[in-house]
Amino acid sequence: AQSVTQLGSHVSVSEGALVLLRCNYSSSVPPYLFWYVQYPNQGLQLLLKYTSAATLVKGINGFEAEFKKSETSFHLTKPSAHMSDAAEYFCAVSVAGGGNKLTFGTGTQLKVEL
Amino acid sequence: SQTIHQWPATLVQPVGSPLSLECTVEGTSNPNLYWYRQAAGRGLQLLFYSVGIGQISSEVPQNLSASRPQDRQFILSSKKLLLSDSGFYLCAWSAGTTGNTIYFGEGSWLTVV
């Protein structure tokens, strides 16, 4: 079965600094990988997804992620953090034959400080 | 465009009482439908998954059940709530093909007291 591990349940950055949220996956078949963002008391919004096309995926709000098969990673980055980026971020994986069901990591809470 | 609605947004229920959370999707047909639960510090857990009317897969054994009486309606129920049923419940939908984006509703906060 596939799984996702998010390193760091809480990450704090200064406004304007690089954002790096880590995600490693485990899958015996080629995965589909997703990053979602959740603002307080709201549902999840898709930031970006990898579906076996380009390994560098650009998403909304200036975020991007790079699929690295050799490292089984799909880390999320943003060059310059903004206060509005403060939220919880979830990495998720699905695989072909799995019925389009997502398996989520436990999430990373991003705090942006002045 | 497609939209997803779930209600109620907030619910406080006593232990042993019944539960009904409803979800509807508009602007698409024959969607996959999902119920997820989010507990603090534990990410999102898939509870139920449906590929069509009356077709429900339960992902984890629990005190809850789901039904899909119409193509775009998904209901989460319980006959007798437990304290451990408290959490944030999210309904979601997707087109059927693997790799398609799953879109989430705004969620329902359930507190069992």
Side-chain angles (χ1 to χ4, degrees), chain B residues 13-20 62-65 77-85 110 112:
Chain B
Q13 292 286 93
V15 170
S17 65
L19 170 73
S20 180
Q62 60 205 314
N63 185 43
L64 302 169
S65 62
S77 303
S78 174
K79 292 182 179 179
K80 291 185 178 181
L81 284 168
L82 305 172
L83 286 174
S84 58
D85 293 324
L110 171 64
V112 182

Side-chain angles (χ1 to χ4, degrees), chain A residues 32 34 36 38 41-44 46 49 51 88 90 94-102 104-106, chain B residues 32 34 36 38 42-44 46 49 59 88 90 94-102 104-106 109:
Chain A
Y32 299 95
F34 303 77
Y36 283 85
Q38 184 181 34
N41 298 318
Q42 295 186 22
L44 278 71
L46 180 71
K49 66 178 183 181
T51 57
E88 189 156 25
F90 292 94
S94 68
V95 297
N100 201 36
K101 292 179 282 187
L102 286 175
F104 283 88
T106 52
Chain B
N32 288 351
Y34 312 82
Y36 280 86
Q38 186 175 18
R42 297 182 61 185
L44 286 89
L46 179 62
Y49 165 68
E59 297 296 309
F88 192 48
L90 289 156
S94 76
T97 306
T98 300
N100 280 337
T101 300
I102 294 180
F104 288 82
E106 289 300 305
W109 273 109

Side-chain angles (χ1 to χ4, degrees), chain B residues 37-58:
Chain B
R37 177 168 60 199
Q38 186 175 18
R42 297 182 61 185
L44 286 89
Q45 182 183 37
L46 179 62
L47 302 176
F48 299 98
Y49 165 68
S50 173
V51 298
I53 295 174
Q55 300 179 63
I56 311 292
S57 296
S58 175

Side-chain angles (χ1 to χ4, degrees), chain A residues 9 36-39 85-90 106-110, chain B residues 38:
Chain A
S9 58
Y36 283 85
V37 60
Q38 184 181 34
Y39 298 100
D85 295 326
E88 189 156 25
Y89 292 79
F90 292 94
T106 52
T108 297
Q109 187 72 43
L110 175 66
Chain B
Q38 186 175 18

Side-chain angles (χ1 to χ4, degrees), chain A residues 43-94:
Chain A
L44 278 71
Q45 180 183 7
L46 180 71
L47 278 176
L48 50 81
K49 66 178 183 181
Y50 167 76
T51 57
S52 76
T55 56
L56 181 62
V57 181
K58 295 186 183 297
I60 62 171
N61 302 338
F63 284 94
E64 63 181 37
E66 186 172 9
F67 173 71
K68 292 186 176 180
K69 184 178 179 180
S70 61
E71 299 177 8
T72 62
S73 69
F74 190 57
H75 302 331
L76 182 70
T77 61
K78 182 175 180 177
S80 177
H82 191 272
M83 295 296 290
S84 61
D85 295 326
E88 189 156 25
Y89 292 79
F90 292 94
C91 184
V93 62
S94 68

